[in-house]
Amino acid sequence: MSAPKLKAPRGTFDVLGEQASVRSALEASARAILEGAGYERIETPAFEATELFARGVGESTDIVRKEMFTFTDEAGRSLTLRPEGTAPVCRAYVEHGMHKRRQPVKLWYLSSFFRHERAQAGRYRQFWQVGAEALGSDDPALDAESIALLVELLQAVGVTGARLRLSSLGSAETRGEYRELLKSHLRANEGSLSEDVRSRIELNPLRAFDSDHEGTRRVMEAAPRLLEHLNDDDAEHFSQVRELLEVANVAYEVDSTLVRGLDYYARTVFELTSDSLGAQSGVGGGGRYDGLVEQLGGPPTPGVGWAAGVERMMLAGDLQPGAVAPVELFVAFEQPRSRRIAFGILAEARSAGLRAQMELGGRSPKGQLGYANALGAHYVAIVDGEATMLRDLEGGGRERIATDTVVHAVLRGLRTL
Ligand code: ATP
Ligand code: MG
C-alpha cells in the first residue's frame, strides 16, 4: 500500500508557474515605485514575541483576540507568527536606533503574514502583503505621499476603479473623549445591537461602525462622528492631507465611519476597496500611528504607512506573467560517453553569460532535439566526442565544428543577428 498523500494546510497555497511569474512582476512594480520614492527594503522575522502584537496591535482587536497563530518555545516564551507588519517594523526601528538617522525613515516590505481566519477566496491563513512605513515625521505631506504611492501601485498592477476612503481618528485624547460619547450612544441603544458589538461597548466601541448587523447599522447611522470632534491641530492636519491629495490628483471620499481594525491608528486612516473582489473587497489600507513607537519602548516618534494584499491585488489587477527568457544554447549528445564533454560545454557557456541548458533526462538523440525545440532553444549543439553538430533552430542551418569551439560559435552567431 502506498503512503497517504499530504496536502498543504487549510488556507495556504503553493505558488507555482504563472502565479510565481505574476508575483515577480508585482514585486518589480512595488520596488520601482517605492524605492523610487526613497523607501528601503526591510524584512523582519516571520515570528515575534507575542507581546509585540498584544501591545502594538491592541488587545481588543480581532487580530489579537482570535486571529493569531501563537506557540510556546522550549524556554516557555510565547511567540506569534506575524499577523501584520507595522508593529514589527516599529520594533526594528527602535531596536536599530533608526531615530538617529535622517528622518523620515522610509521602509517597505513584501512578506507573508499569518492569521487564523475562515479561509475563502481572497482570504487565507498565510498571505502576502506589500507594505510601506514612514517614521519620524508628522508632516501631512508624508501621509499624502504614502497614500499616493499606494494608489500608484494599484494603478501599476492594473487594479482599476478602486475606491479610496479617507478619515481622521484624531489624537488619543480626542478619541478618548469621543469614545465616551459613543459609548453612551451605544448603551442608550443597547437593545438593537448585535451580541458581539454589545459585548465590546467598553473594550472597542469604534468597531461597531464595521458591523454588518442590521440593527447595529441603524444605531450607527445616528451615532456621533469622530470627525466632527477633532481638535484644531488634528482638523488642520486632516485638511492639509486632503488638500495635498487634491494637488496630486488622487481621488478620495471622506468616510466618517471608517475605523481600521488595529488600535494603533491616530489622525489619518484610509482604505482602498475594489468592487471586483466581492465580499473580500479590501485591497489595502493604512494610516498614521504616532504613538506606536513610544508604546513599544522607543522615543516619541510619529509614523504613517499602509499594507496591500498581494493576492487581492492579483485578483483585482491584470498583471500578466512575464515572458520566460529563451534558451540560447541547448547542449545535446549522441552517446552517453559524450555527457561529460557536454557538461563541460554547459559550464563554459554559462560562464560566458549564455542562457544554456543540457540534456538531463536520459532522452534519445531524437528526443533531445524535440525537447530543445519545445524549450524554444536558439542553438542546439549535438556533441559527439571531438566533433559537434551545431544547429541554428531559429535561423535554420547546421554546421559541423570542433567541440571546443561551440561556445565561441554560438556567441558569434548571436552577436551577428
Ligand atoms: P479584511 O477586512 O479583509 O479582513 P483587514 O482590515 O483585516 O482586511 P488589514 O489588516 O488592513 O486587512 O491588511 C491589509 C490588506 O491585507 C487587506 O486590505 C487585504 O488586502 C490583505 N489581507 C488581510 N487579511 C488577509 C487574508 N487573511 N488573506 C489575504 N489577504 C488579506
Ligand atoms: Mg481582517
Side-chain angles (χ1 to χ4, degrees):
M1 232 178 69
S2 58
K5 280 189 201 147
L6 297 173
K7 286 186 171 176
R10 178 191 298 274
T12 70
F13 50 85
D14 300 306
V15 176
L16 305 172
E18 291 202 342
Q19 295 288 312
S21 172
V22 170
R23 277 166 187 267
S24 300
L26 191 144
E27 176 165 4
S29 284
R31 169 172 290 114
I33 290 168
L34 294 169
E35 295 189 354
Y39 282 75
E40 255 175 60
R41 181 71 177 250
I42 181 169
E43 282 302 329
T44 61
F47 56 85
E48 297 267 2
T50 302
E51 191 190 347
L52 172 64
F53 303 111
R55 261 208 265 164
V57 178
E59 298 276 11
S60 68
T61 61
D62 280 349
I63 293 182
V64 172
R65 284 182 359 142
K66 47 191 184 200
E67 294 176 2
M68 299 206 302
F69 285 98
T70 296
F71 58 98
T72 310
D73 75 3
E74 74 294 342
R77 285 175 290 242
S78 179
L79 299 172
T80 291
L81 295 180
R82 58 182 172 196
E84 60 93 58
T86 306
V89 166
C90 290
R91 195 259 314 130
Y93 178 90
V94 176
E95 189 166 337
H96 301 285
M98 290 192 229
H99 61 281
K100 294 189 205 113
R101 292 205 210 165
R102 277 190 291 268
Q103 309 292 306
V105 172
K106 295 166 153 188
L107 302 163
W108 80 281
Y109 53 81
L110 195 170
S111 329
S112 60
F113 296 90
F114 307 85
R115 295 185 192 175
H116 199 286
E117 308 219 51
R118 208 159 58 80
Q120 51 202 292
R123 190 177 293 290
Y124 311 98
R125 291 181 170 184
Q126 179 178 5
F127 58 99
W128 271 255
Q129 288 182 338
V130 175
E133 315 287 353
L135 292 118
S137 165
D138 63 1
D139 191 326
L142 196 57
D143 306 49
E145 178 188 63
S146 173
I147 297 171
L149 289 169
L150 173 54
V151 169
E152 190 183 340
L153 174 62
L154 295 184
Q155 271 160 6
V157 302
V159 177
T160 51
R163 237 176 104 206
L164 169 60
R165 290 180 304 135
L166 182 71
S167 191
S168 174
L169 300 180
S171 60
E173 300 86 72
T174 332
R175 200 142 92 232
E177 287 159 26
Y178 169 77
R179 273 167 68 106
E180 294 311 313
L181 269 179
L182 185 59
K183 281 199 258 179
S184 353
H185 177 75
L186 291 173
R187 275 196 226 98
N189 294 280
E190 222 172 313
S192 316
L193 299 176
S194 75
E195 186 57 48
D196 188 46
V197 169
R198 207 179 317 143
S199 73
R200 276 201 282 174
I201 294 183
E202 286 306 317
L203 205 55
N204 197 349
L206 269 82
R207 278 304 269 188
F209 281 111
D210 271 358
S211 170
D212 39 26
H213 174 261
E214 205 27 64
T216 307
R217 288 184 88 110
R218 268 199 307 278
V219 173
M220 296 322 283
E221 267 163 37
R225 297 294 159 87
L226 181 46
L227 258 189
E228 286 145 26
H229 295 265
L230 297 185
N231 68 31
D232 291 349
D233 281 355
D234 296 341
E236 175 59 20
H237 191 275
F238 189 48
S239 106
Q240 287 193 33
V241 172
R242 286 161 50 186
E243 192 184 320
L244 292 167
L245 286 174
E246 280 150 32
V247 169
N249 282 320
V250 174
Y252 65 86
E253 300 157 35
V254 171
D255 179 350
S256 61
T257 70
L258 179 63
V259 224
R260 306 262 311 132
L262 305 97
D263 275 357
Y264 48 61
Y265 289 115
R267 292 192 161 173
T268 315
V269 285
F270 53 93
E271 214 159 76
L272 273 130
T273 51
S274 165
D275 288 341
S276 62
L277 287 175
Q280 271 62 250
S281 64
V283 207
R288 188 163 267 292
Y289 42 84
D290 290 349
L292 181 56
V293 170
E294 200 175 358
Q295 214 169 301
L296 297 176
T301 309
V304 60
W306 49 259
V310 166
E311 293 75 31
R312 295 204 197 158
M313 285 191 276
M314 286 171 61
L315 282 169
D318 68 353
L319 274 183
Q320 300 302 312
V324 180
V327 176
E328 291 166 313
L329 171 64
F330 186 85
V331 190
F333 47 90
E334 286 284 351
Q335 307 289 335
R337 64 182 153 79
S338 291
R339 189 218 269 118
R340 242 181 84 103
I341 305 174
F343 202 76
I345 294 175
L346 179 72
E348 187 193 340
R350 286 182 180 162
S351 5
L354 290 173
R355 279 188 303 276
Q357 292 194 40
M358 75 172 272
E359 174 55 30
L360 297 168
R363 290 177 184 79
S364 69
K366 193 162 163 251
Q368 295 181 43
L369 258 184
Y371 184 51
N373 259 309
L375 288 176
H378 189 150
Y379 286 95
V380 187
I382 306 152
V383 180
D384 192 7
E386 301 291 292
T388 288
M389 177 64 80
L390 185 63
R391 290 183 57 173
D392 181 345
L393 294 185
E394 218 163 83
R398 62 180 70 197
E399 200 185 350
R400 204 170 169 77
I401 58 174
T403 296
D404 58 9
T405 63
V406 164
V407 171
H408 185 71
V410 170
L411 284 172
R412 205 178 46 216
L414 288 172
R415 273 201 218 107
T416 56
L417 269 179

PDB file of all heavy atoms in Angstrom, residues 67 115 117 123, ligand 2:
ATOM      1  N   GLU A  67      -7.159  35.921  15.836  1.00  0.00           N
ATOM      2  CA  GLU A  67      -6.564  35.544  14.547  1.00  0.00           C
ATOM      3  C   GLU A  67      -5.096  35.159  14.604  1.00  0.00           C
ATOM      4  O   GLU A  67      -4.495  34.863  13.583  1.00  0.00           O
ATOM      5  CB  GLU A  67      -6.761  36.695  13.535  1.00  0.00           C
ATOM      6  CG  GLU A  67      -8.223  36.928  13.174  1.00  0.00           C
ATOM      7  CD  GLU A  67      -8.454  38.131  12.256  1.00  0.00           C
ATOM      8  OE1 GLU A  67      -7.476  38.791  11.854  1.00  0.00           O
ATOM      9  OE2 GLU A  67      -9.629  38.404  11.956  1.00  0.00           O
ATOM     10  N   ARG A 115      -2.802  34.716   9.660  1.00  0.00           N
ATOM     11  CA  ARG A 115      -3.969  34.991  10.502  1.00  0.00           C
ATOM     12  C   ARG A 115      -4.870  33.763  10.480  1.00  0.00           C
ATOM     13  O   ARG A 115      -5.117  33.184   9.418  1.00  0.00           O
ATOM     14  CB  ARG A 115      -4.754  36.213   9.980  1.00  0.00           C
ATOM     15  CG  ARG A 115      -3.950  37.503  10.083  1.00  0.00           C
ATOM     16  CD  ARG A 115      -4.776  38.719   9.690  1.00  0.00           C
ATOM     17  NE  ARG A 115      -3.910  39.881   9.533  1.00  0.00           N
ATOM     18  CZ  ARG A 115      -4.313  41.079   9.108  1.00  0.00           C
ATOM     19  NH1 ARG A 115      -5.595  41.264   8.805  1.00  0.00           N
ATOM     20  NH2 ARG A 115      -3.462  42.074   8.985  1.00  0.00           N
ATOM     21  N   GLU A 117      -7.931  32.626  10.083  1.00  0.00           N
ATOM     22  CA  GLU A 117      -9.210  33.116   9.575  1.00  0.00           C
ATOM     23  C   GLU A 117      -9.983  31.984   8.936  1.00  0.00           C
ATOM     24  O   GLU A 117      -9.440  30.924   8.665  1.00  0.00           O
ATOM     25  CB  GLU A 117      -8.971  34.165   8.480  1.00  0.00           C
ATOM     26  CG  GLU A 117      -8.033  35.265   8.878  1.00  0.00           C
ATOM     27  CD  GLU A 117      -8.486  36.615   8.357  1.00  0.00           C
ATOM     28  OE1 GLU A 117      -9.672  36.957   8.585  1.00  0.00           O
ATOM     29  OE2 GLU A 117      -7.669  37.309   7.747  1.00  0.00           O
ATOM     30  N   ARG A 123      -9.119  35.273   1.048  1.00  0.00           N
ATOM     31  CA  ARG A 123      -8.835  35.299   2.495  1.00  0.00           C
ATOM     32  C   ARG A 123      -8.131  33.996   2.869  1.00  0.00           C
ATOM     33  O   ARG A 123      -8.703  32.926   2.775  1.00  0.00           O
ATOM     34  CB  ARG A 123     -10.145  35.467   3.274  1.00  0.00           C
ATOM     35  CG  ARG A 123      -9.914  35.737   4.762  1.00  0.00           C
ATOM     36  CD  ARG A 123     -11.207  35.965   5.523  1.00  0.00           C
ATOM     37  NE  ARG A 123     -11.899  37.190   5.143  1.00  0.00           N
ATOM     38  CZ  ARG A 123     -11.469  38.415   5.427  1.00  0.00           C
ATOM     39  NH1 ARG A 123     -10.355  38.588   6.084  1.00  0.00           N
ATOM     40  NH2 ARG A 123     -12.166  39.452   5.039  1.00  0.00           N
TER      41      ARG A 123
HETATM   42 MG    MG B   2      -9.256  41.048   8.696  1.00  0.00          MG
END
